[in-house]
Amino acid sequence: MPTGQSSTINSREAVVGKLKALHVDEEIVYSGCVINCGAGHCVHKIRRKNGKITAIEPDDHYNRGVGREDVVLNDTDLMKNHLQTRGCPMAWVFHKLIETPDRILYPLKRVEGSKRMEGKYERISWDEALDLVAKKMEEAVDNYGPYSITTAYQPSPHLERLFALWGAGIEGWGWCSKDPGRLAGHLMGGVPGWSYNESSNDTADVLLNSKLIVLWGFEPTINHFGPGHQVAYYLKMARERGTPVICIEPRYTVAAEVLADQWIPIKPGTDAAMMLAIGFLLMSKNLYDREYVQKYVDPRGFEEWRSYLLGEKDGIPKTPEWAEKICGVPAETIRGFTDLYARTKPTWLWLGWGPPRKSRGENVVRAACALQAITGNWGVAGGSVPIDMGTRPKPARMLPYGEIPKVRVPKMYRSHMWAQMVLLKEKVDSGEMSADEYKAIIGWRAPNDLPLPTPKILMGGGTWLHNTRTVINAADSTNDHIKAAHKMDFIIWMHSHMSPALWISDVILPCNDQSLEDRRIWGGGTPGYGGFVNITYVPGVVEPPGEAKPAHWIHTEIARRLGIGEVYNTYCEEGGNWWEGWEKYLRNEFDRMAEELVEQGAKMPTWEEFKKDGLINVQELNEEPFHSYRSFIDQGKPLRTKTGKIELYSYVIGDESQRGQFHLDDDGRIIDNLPNDWRDLPPIPAYQPMYRGMEHDDVKRFPLFLLSAYPRYRNHTTFWNVPLLRGDCYRHAVWMNPADAQARGVKDGDLVRIHNNKGVGVIPAYVTSRILPGMIVIHHGGNYEPDKEGVDWGCTPNIFFSDNESPVTAPRVSNLVQIEKFTGARPEA
Amino acid sequence: MTQYGFFFDQSRCTGCRACSISCKEWYDIAPGPLKYMRVYQWEQGTFPNVRLGLLAVNCYHCDKPACIDACPHQAIFKEEKYGAVLIDEDRCQGERECWEACPYGAIVYASDQKGEKAHKCTMCVDRLEAKEIPICVHSCSLRALDFGPIDELRKKYGDCNTLEELPDGSLTRPSAVFKPRDEKKQLVPWNGQKVLELWQQRGPFASADLPPTFNDKEAVVNPPSGVRGRDRLVLKAKTVEELMTATRDDE
């Protein structure tokens, strides 16, 4: 076959023509990305044709046509976030979620005569579904009183508003990831409740000002502290500029390889021990920042902590020799680290949310914050308060159609203790358990004179769709939640995708996808987890399939049937055009935000321009990198602590008369994370071994410590059902050290059966030297896929967790398990 | 003809696969082994000296493309505008000589079946025609990738045309510039053997009768071969299964 010039040109035309034909006659639509990653909100450049999405491209608002952006940018650009907000790996396949086989298209009712967890549903109309929901809610309140309707986890903003305006229902309080941090912020810095007014700093501050970076259980190449993996990008640039980076972490993570100069492995759950030893050295060798401590740290707290660290009260000096036996970090390493830490200022010591997510996690955050306080790293450029990254203040986020009602229904349980709230109630009813003990265990935060809950109806869903936070696999002890669900009279759940986790429901209401099928303004208010935030517009790119509806609409319709429709949603009239009303609401929110931003000096687009362009970069207003606590450090304005200074000693927890008391914020709302019964939580950061850690007696039955880590290619369970990710990019497997694998005759890829007293799961093994023996990792968000015996073949790690935890903190993502090689076959469905 | 090429900074690559995923969805490629950008993660060494190998490899549209010479049907050609090496599917008979010849494993197939047509990175030539950059470059999370006329890339980034794990650049003269990964630095003293000793004990809060965390230190530092999974780089996978295993991780 001749290879003359002309045949090559013909080939080129044909080949290139074919490729071009994949993307002709498309419209471009920009949209913010809506998912529960707390990221600075990424912008998707979406291609649409004939009502379908044909591709998703990265944002190109800045540096169009540039790949390696930092080559063409200066530090001011980096500070002002003149960057493409590139999404994470999941960004490119959002549209693959729209038409999956498990998409819920119609309202569903459990088939008469079938049992929960059988998964037998029939289609009903919206009217029938909503009428039934309202009827059941009213019946429950009529028969059992107002505290008979509950949700698993916290209520969504919609549900919270609904309950509050209706006057019935109960709330769970507290947030899985950040509650130990919220507590530390409150006790040490006087930042109450849900306030985010004082956070830490933004990523530009780390890049431009930090002289040492310590990533303590923090994995930004995997976690989505965004936009995308922008935090990792900035940290990498910091390292390239010569800033030393140390990673302290049980596994050899990607961050340890790419971002860090050195990895220091540490036993999971023992972080506070190493931190205390660092504190011991700083105190005993006078390496702490005397001037800073004198000005900014409460002297009594400083003395109390010093005394504790030196062992003056308990006879146990928290020396590196003491710590190394607990945490597995050699004393020599702790000394060397402390030396480097003490003489390198400022240090960005950053704690991921994993280390505090253990029982006793309260101590970890407080210890980290205490170290940063006595080394003079709070509220200074390049330092950190290791709780929440932050940005310049932004206008408050879009509220659900009006102010959050000031009077809300009582918070009777810690969000994750929902199942125990139901199960233990029986023990109280039978006299086996006292009401006081019950309240302490479930995390009661309601006035003491209220009756105990009588949970009969469970409802929820409608936020962070696509399998995130489904009833079972975003909470503790999957099996306990199923047990509790079986005790409900009626269960209503709103979701976009079906999975066995929803099979406890009696009625399932189909929601549209929040990113691609709904309309909203996104990004106001709280900072993204990565200290980057902007404001984006989410226009709704495609029509939802079937009869899926926005969660706002669903709650509004329920509210109408409960007789509170007009106050619940003041924008969308009954019988009126939903989207017209919705547009009015969005427009109002935009105008309000625009006013605030213009006051700050921003150049705002018009409403129409914003809807088309989709991005307002609030960091454009930055004249310098952001760090918080400026009014305290720079202007001498006291903190809202008792002493006005950083408190290492809590005057609340140190005062027995405060036990059982409520604390209210300036709006008269209960500060839920300030424990009214803190059990044995000490008033200073201390070391208390975690419940069921690697030294617990039950290692005799269950010798492997299971740690759950956050996955890269999922947001909770979202994207589990997208084969371009699971299967193509990753395998959901249990990480095991070769010694543990070999002892069980297991090699990489073998199926293993994992069990403890809470549940059983089957999953392939990833045998790797990146993890040390005696511990294993299963990533959070594995889907719950039980066989007939309840063995979970999706292997959500939650099947192994228990609901026991410390007085305040986030639920543990750990427990003890045993593993054996699995032989046999998966039972027939 | 202006030869365009890629810059890959291995020190920034986290193996996130944004490049690989965005490429597939741009070209509407089904899940499976048709990965124009293959992203590898494998471990090197064992505790206490474990490292992670990370690499994203597409096609480097070489100056001396071995695939073009190898194809018995002249199905592969270098187009004259960007220097992109393209496969004409209509001429491809699935002989796999191109796969044999390419030292980078750039050629991929949808299955192991005989006659399956060859596919590979197109340099996003359709996007280039629309004045867009390749989507892998645009989507890279840590900006590890860059793209442009290869002469300009060499001026910007130097002329290193290989990495430790890649074939020598003199074989096919890839239109690519590379930066290798960072070395580790011991900022504070650390003794891996001491860590193993400490790790083996369950610590002062454990009852005396609890078993140690592990029994055999040898099994930790010297695991027998075949127990671990991704402990080597497989640039050229012989089967679909091998390719999928090599280009997947457990994160």
Side-chain angles (χ1 to χ4, degrees):
Chain A
M1 175 73 108
T3 52
Q5 185 87 332
S6 56
S7 68
T8 311
I9 290 173
N10 285 345
S11 271
R12 185 193 195 274
E13 259 181 54
V15 171
V16 177
K18 219 170 173 182
L19 295 174
K20 279 179 168 178
L22 289 169
H23 294 291
V24 290
D25 299 330
E26 293 166 329
E27 319 159 61
I28 305 248
V29 183
Y30 288 97
S31 177
C33 177
V34 182
I35 197 166
N36 181 216
C37 65
H41 313 280
C42 307
V43 172
H44 295 162
K45 181 179 172 186
I46 301 175
R47 290 185 178 240
R48 179 176 65 192
K49 182 174 177 175
N50 298 331
K52 287 207 186 295
I53 295 175
T54 46
I56 299 180
E57 295 174 86
D59 173 40
D60 60 0
H61 279 79
Y62 289 99
N63 315 316
R64 220 170 166 275
V66 177
R68 195 171 167 95
E69 288 176 282
D70 48 283
V71 172
V72 305
L73 299 177
N74 59 33
D75 285 354
T76 302
D77 294 316
L78 292 173
M79 181 187 74
K80 289 178 182 271
N81 206 27
H82 290 164
L83 284 163
Q84 301 149 13
T85 52
R86 295 184 185 180
C88 64
M90 301 183 286
W92 321 117
V93 292
F94 256 87
H95 49 316
K96 305 295 178 186
L97 286 169
I98 293 178
E99 282 168 359
T100 54
D102 53 0
R103 189 74 202 261
I104 306 170
L105 300 173
Y106 311 107
L108 299 170
K109 188 170 96 166
R110 188 162 57 82
V111 167
E112 198 79 39
S114 74
K115 293 207 201 77
R116 287 187 185 140
M117 295 311 291
E118 281 181 355
K120 298 199 164 95
Y121 292 92
E122 61 187 0
R123 175 182 175 177
I124 55 175
S125 70
W126 268 111
D127 275 332
E128 197 186 329
L130 294 163
D131 289 345
L132 180 58
V133 166
K135 172 162 162 266
K136 288 290 183 183
M137 289 173 75
E138 276 172 342
E139 270 174 13
V141 172
D142 284 344
N143 293 328
Y144 301 105
Y147 310 128
S148 56
I149 306 185
T150 181
T151 188
Y153 197 66
Q154 289 166 0
S156 66
H158 317 105
L159 191 62
E160 183 165 56
R161 183 178 174 79
L162 187 75
F163 282 169
L165 293 173
W166 189 42
I170 54 176
E171 287 191 13
W173 64 270
W175 193 354
C176 42
S177 306
K178 290 208 271 191
D179 276 7
R182 288 201 300 137
L183 178 71
H186 195 165
L187 296 183
M188 302 177 77
V191 177
W194 283 98
S195 163
Y196 286 93
N197 293 331
E198 290 290 15
S199 50
S200 182
N201 52 347
D202 69 12
T203 323
D205 189 47
V206 184
L207 172 66
L208 299 175
N209 294 319
S210 302
K211 295 282 180 272
L212 169 65
I213 293 171
V214 180
L215 307 178
W216 202 309
F218 183 53
E219 225 303 19
T221 75
I222 302 293
N223 274 282
H224 313 108
F225 274 62
H229 292 292
Q230 204 164 318
V231 172
Y233 177 37
Y234 273 56
L235 292 176
K236 184 70 207 182
M237 287 192 282
R239 186 173 174 210
E240 287 169 356
R241 293 178 186 209
T243 308
V245 183
I246 293 182
C247 189
I248 303 174
E249 168 73 69
R251 300 178 293 165
Y252 189 67
T253 56
V254 174
E257 171 61 46
V258 178
L259 300 181
D261 293 299
Q262 182 170 6
W263 170 52
I264 298 176
I266 188 167
K267 278 193 183 171
T270 64
D271 308 277
M274 179 169 168
M275 291 176 183
L276 295 183
I278 296 167
F280 169 89
L281 291 169
L282 293 171
M283 295 293 197
S284 62
K285 295 163 87 173
N286 286 320
L287 293 173
Y288 64 91
D289 188 329
R290 303 190 85 92
E291 204 186 309
Y292 184 98
V293 167
Q294 209 157 35
K295 275 174 95 168
Y296 301 115
V297 178
D298 163 39
R300 179 186 170 183
F302 181 79
E303 283 311 315
E304 290 269 2
W305 203 44
R306 194 221 313 252
S307 178
Y308 169 75
L309 292 173
L310 297 183
E312 286 170 3
K313 297 214 172 78
D314 60 3
I316 306 171
K318 312 300 178 290
T319 62
E321 286 69 27
W322 166 85
E324 73 171 6
K325 296 190 186 65
I326 299 169
C327 67
V329 180
E332 177 196 39
T333 303
I334 299 176
R335 286 180 200 284
F337 174 85
T338 306
D339 202 52
L340 178 67
Y341 176 50
R343 64 180 151 81
T344 317
K345 285 188 202 301
T347 291
W348 195 69
L349 190 152
W350 199 255
L351 193 62
W353 292 342
R357 273 203 72 168
K358 314 282 185 306
S359 67
R360 308 311 193 183
E362 299 92 343
N363 287 318
V364 179
V365 196
R366 290 191 301 160
C369 288
L371 288 179
Q372 286 292 83
I374 68 174
T375 52
N377 280 303
W378 270 56
V380 303
S384 69
V385 182
I387 297 172
D388 239 327
M389 293 185 76
T391 61
R392 58 175 300 113
K394 291 182 325 124
R397 75 157 126 215
M398 186 174 96
L399 304 168
Y401 356 111
E403 284 181 9
I404 295 172
K406 290 213 153 74
V407 179
R408 290 185 276 190
V409 298
K411 300 190 192 211
M412 291 192 170
Y413 57 99
R414 177 95 180 60
S415 55
H416 284 78
M417 296 301 278
W418 164 76
Q420 299 307 318
M421 184 264 295
V422 172
L423 298 173
L424 296 178
K425 178 74 196 315
E426 298 188 339
K427 291 198 170 170
V428 179
D429 292 340
S430 73
E432 219 183 304
M433 183 181 279
S434 74
D436 280 343
E437 200 189 335
Y438 171 71
K439 285 173 167 180
I441 292 173
I442 67 171
W444 181 269
R445 291 287 185 272
N448 260 321
D449 58 352
L450 290 185
L452 297 181
T454 46
K456 295 291 175 191
I457 305 241
L458 171 69
M459 62 190 294
T463 58
W464 316 123
L465 304 172
H466 314 309
N467 291 324
T468 293
R469 287 217 207 141
T470 47
V471 167
I472 291 157
N473 52 3
D476 291 329
S477 182
T478 307
N479 284 324
D480 279 358
H481 282 256
I482 296 172
K483 272 197 216 121
H486 279 307
K487 301 209 183 278
M488 296 290 104
D489 280 358
F490 205 76
I491 298 178
I492 306 136
W493 211 261
M494 306 171 203
H495 212 286
S496 53
H497 289 68
M498 186 61 100
S499 80
L502 293 185
W503 291 352
I504 52 155
S505 313
D506 301 300
V507 166
I508 299 175
L509 304 175
C511 295
N512 63 2
D513 169 272
Q514 288 177 309
S515 257
L516 298 173
E517 299 165 5
D518 202 352
R519 266 178 242 174
R520 55 172 25 180
I521 302 171
W522 190 227
T526 62
Y529 302 155
F532 277 117
V533 205
N534 48 28
I535 299 172
T536 58
Y537 185 63
V538 181
V541 184
V542 294
E543 289 296 316
E547 293 179 2
K549 295 278 187 205
H552 329 282
W553 180 91
I554 299 174
H555 286 85
T556 302
E557 286 296 309
I558 295 173
R560 293 203 212 288
R561 286 160 173 81
L562 296 175
I564 54 165
E566 270 181 43
V567 296
Y568 179 79
N569 187 335
T570 58
Y571 289 94
C572 306
E573 287 169 6
E574 177 147 26
N577 182 302
W578 172 264
W579 292 113
E580 269 176 31
W582 192 248
E583 170 87 6
K584 264 195 246 143
Y585 165 56
L586 293 180
R587 179 66 199 263
N588 254 28
E589 285 300 301
F590 175 78
D591 287 344
R592 196 174 53 77
M593 289 167 127
E595 217 179 284
E596 282 188 54
L597 283 173
V598 162
E599 245 174 77
Q600 292 176 39
K603 273 208 275 290
M604 285 293 286
T606 64
W607 173 232
E608 293 304 321
E609 284 168 346
F610 175 57
K611 285 198 286 183
K612 207 150 171 270
D613 179 70
L615 172 68
I616 296 168
N617 179 5
V618 180
Q619 296 198 200
E620 191 60 66
L621 295 171
N622 285 4
E623 289 308 320
E624 53 182 358
F626 173 82
H627 71 268
S628 57
Y629 291 92
R630 301 288 286 258
S631 57
F632 170 54
I633 300 288
D634 301 341
Q635 293 152 38
K637 181 170 169 204
L639 294 177
R640 292 191 321 185
T641 52
K642 178 171 173 196
T643 59
K645 297 191 176 185
I646 301 169
E647 290 181 353
L648 307 189
Y649 172 88
S650 166
Y651 292 91
V652 173
I653 298 180
D655 178 0
E656 266 305 309
S657 76
Q658 290 292 313
R659 195 185 287 271
Q661 303 297 326
F662 282 111
H663 301 269
L664 306 177
D665 67 13
D666 297 341
D667 291 317
R669 293 175 298 198
I670 286 175
I671 300 172
D672 56 39
N673 63 299
L674 189 60
N676 50 347
D677 179 359
W678 50 82
R679 292 182 236 169
D680 64 350
L681 185 71
I684 44 160
Y687 187 73
Q688 295 167 294
M690 60 183 282
Y691 181 68
R692 295 183 74 77
M694 289 171 83
E695 68 278 302
H696 192 271
D697 267 355
D698 220 359
V699 300
K700 290 187 198 145
R701 280 195 301 168
F702 309 124
L704 297 171
F705 179 82
L706 161 65
L707 183 66
S708 179
Y710 209 82
R712 169 189 263 161
Y713 303 101
R714 286 194 302 277
N715 180 251
H716 305 291
T717 49
T718 308
F719 292 102
W720 173 266
N721 54 349
V722 173
L724 269 180
L725 293 174
R726 186 165 63 100
D728 252 30
C729 293
Y730 79 99
R731 178 179 62 163
H732 181 59
V734 56
W735 291 40
M736 296 179 73
N737 180 273
D740 290 328
Q742 208 188 344
R744 292 161 173 80
V746 170
K747 60 181 199 308
D748 186 275
D750 286 346
L751 283 180
V752 297
R753 181 181 182 275
I754 310 181
H755 80 277
N756 66 5
N757 55 323
K758 299 303 286 189
V760 187
V762 176
I763 188 174
Y766 170 45
V767 182
T768 172
S769 294
R770 295 166 64 192
I771 193 170
L772 278 155
M775 68 171 289
I776 62 166
V777 166
I778 301 175
H779 286 92
H780 164 75
N783 205 25
Y784 174 62
E785 295 177 353
D787 64 22
K788 287 206 175 72
E789 270 121 61
V791 173
D792 181 8
W793 286 77
C795 209
T796 172
N798 301 58
I799 197 101
F800 307 113
F801 297 160
S802 74
D803 286 343
N804 287 322
E805 66 197 46
S806 303
V808 181
T809 195
R812 305 184 299 118
V813 291
S814 63
N815 205 343
L816 298 170
V817 297
Q818 173 61 292
I819 291 187
E820 66 222 10
K821 185 166 175 175
F822 178 80
T823 51
R826 181 170 182 169
E828 290 294 319
Chain B
M1 191 266 285
T2 306
Q3 177 66 53
Y4 280 70
F6 292 85
F7 169 60
F8 174 64
D9 179 354
Q10 190 189 27
S11 77
R12 284 195 180 180
C13 182
T14 62
C16 79
R17 295 188 171 77
C19 52
S20 185
I21 299 163
S22 62
C23 166
K24 283 187 90 160
E25 63 94 11
W26 177 256
Y27 284 122
D28 198 21
I29 297 172
L34 286 182
K35 298 184 181 184
Y36 297 173
M37 179 67 94
R38 285 144 297 116
V39 181
Y40 302 93
Q41 183 210 69
W42 72 102
E43 65 196 67
Q44 302 161 311
T46 67
F47 192 86
N49 298 307
V50 64
R51 291 286 306 263
L52 208 53
L54 292 158
L55 203 55
V57 182
N58 50 327
C59 160
Y60 298 120
H61 303 274
C62 300
D63 197 39
K64 215 173 109 202
C67 54
I68 293 184
D69 295 337
C71 179
H73 305 284
Q74 286 88 43
I76 312 184
F77 62 96
K78 199 185 224 326
E79 59 80 54
E80 76 281 1
K81 196 164 171 192
Y82 309 101
V85 174
L86 301 174
I87 300 175
D88 185 343
E89 260 186 80
D90 293 335
R91 295 195 194 194
C92 174
Q93 312 258 335
E95 308 259 23
R96 305 200 182 217
E97 300 290 347
C98 53
W99 179 88
E100 281 296 335
C102 172
Y104 297 93
I107 314 284
V108 288
Y109 303 89
S111 78
D112 294 329
Q113 276 176 31
K114 219 165 139 22
E116 191 71 67
K117 290 190 190 278
H119 295 269
K120 68 173 195 60
C121 163
T122 62
M123 201 194 266
C124 272
V125 71
D126 52 325
R127 290 175 63 85
L128 299 184
E129 294 282 72
K131 306 264 186 287
E132 303 274 4
I133 53 175
I135 198 163
C136 56
V137 175
H138 195 174
S139 61
C140 178
S141 295
L142 266 66
R143 285 69 171 173
L145 286 167
D146 207 356
F147 180 83
I150 191 64
D151 288 338
E152 283 178 29
L153 292 180
R154 285 178 182 135
K155 274 201 209 100
K156 258 201 252 183
Y157 302 115
D159 55 14
C160 176
N161 67 357
T162 190
L163 290 170
E164 198 185 309
E165 306 89 346
L166 289 180
D168 190 277
S170 63
L171 293 174
T172 60
R173 298 208 293 269
S175 306
V177 182
F178 297 94
K179 182 178 174 204
R181 71 176 182 186
D182 291 333
E183 286 315 306
K184 292 287 159 210
K185 279 191 218 145
Q186 192 161 86
L187 299 174
V188 299
W190 187 79
N191 181 320
Q193 296 306 320
K194 175 75 178 170
V195 171
L196 281 167
E197 274 169 40
L198 291 168
W199 200 280
Q200 192 172 29
Q201 308 308 314
R202 289 200 182 266
F205 295 100
S207 313
D209 62 340
L210 293 189
T213 318
F214 61 90
N215 288 310
D216 175 20
K217 196 168 88 168
E218 265 307 289
V220 180
V221 302
N222 260 328
S225 70
V227 179
R228 290 185 297 171
R230 284 189 316 281
D231 58 357
R232 72 210 61 194
L233 171 64
V234 179
L235 255 190
K236 290 186 65 158
K238 295 187 187 65
T239 63
V240 160
E241 193 184 326
E242 214 187 343
L243 186 145
M244 294 305 286
T245 304
T247 57
R248 223 178 359 217
D249 63 30
D250 296 275
E251 301 291 340

